[in-house]
Amino acid sequence: MEVELQLFTNRYQRFRPDQGAPVRTTVGKPRFQLPYDVAGFARLLAPSYAMLRMQEGPYRHIYLERLEAAGVDLISEQLAEIADAAGSDRLVLLCFCDLNVPPPDNWCHRRMFGAWWGDQTGNEVRELDRRRETPVATLF
């Protein structure tokens, strides 16, 4: 029996281990010390270095093209491998962006992925934050 992954997103700085298994989705590793170990790297979800200098419109176009090219099956396979290694079906996809800032600066690839994944699979990818997250222990 295959277990369906639960996907969430958060920021490296806001992640807590009770939220799930932390997964890097950034092209670079954090340059600051994390108080937890990252469970894996979802390479297919990471933007390229060149994309980091782009405005939202071109970035979104290229990022969504990259997701479409990889496809749900390959992305699912990569995430399942990370989940298996982490021993958790609850993955928290992490990046650096602070989405608690006012527009137009509150966009991020993790939010783009979440919307795309929801459209493709029907499964919601919810953003976690300090005020509204549900700890793992209360979900089972």
Side-chain angles (χ1 to χ4, degrees):
M1 179 172 103
E2 187 173 319
V3 174
E4 188 161 326
L5 291 176
Q6 299 174 64
L7 300 179
F8 299 87
T9 59
N10 205 344
R11 187 173 186 214
Y12 285 111
Q13 297 93 321
R14 289 201 176 114
F15 174 80
R16 291 191 338 249
D18 68 349
Q19 294 175 337
V23 178
R24 181 178 135 216
T25 69
T26 53
V27 65
K29 294 178 182 177
R31 293 183 181 158
F32 47 88
Q33 184 69 35
L34 297 173
Y36 54 86
D37 291 327
V38 173
F41 174 34
R43 185 177 315 276
L44 294 171
L45 306 186
S48 69
Y49 277 114
M51 290 171 66
L52 300 180
R53 294 184 294 277
M54 293 180 178
Q55 296 296 315
E56 181 180 4
Y59 183 110
R60 179 180 300 278
H61 177 77
I62 291 170
Y63 188 69
L64 294 176
E65 277 187 343
R66 288 169 55 117
L67 293 176
E68 288 290 332
V72 169
D73 290 343
L74 190 57
I75 292 170
S76 292
E77 186 177 304
Q78 184 175 77
L79 294 174
E81 288 173 6
I82 294 169
D84 286 346
S88 176
D89 65 346
R90 184 178 166 106
L91 300 181
V92 183
L93 309 174
L94 302 175
C95 78
F96 301 103
C97 298
D98 183 357
L99 298 178
N100 291 321
V101 297
D105 297 322
N106 65 347
W107 62 274
C108 175
H109 78 283
R110 73 181 190 251
R111 189 171 277 171
M112 291 176 193
F113 169 76
W116 179 85
W117 188 258
D119 289 346
Q120 299 296 311
T121 68
N123 297 321
E124 180 184 14
V125 179
R126 192 167 51 87
E127 176 74 13
L128 300 175
D129 68 29
R130 288 187 185 140
R131 293 172 299 281
R132 295 187 304 267
E133 69 254 359
T134 304
V136 173
T138 64
L139 290 177
F140 303 102

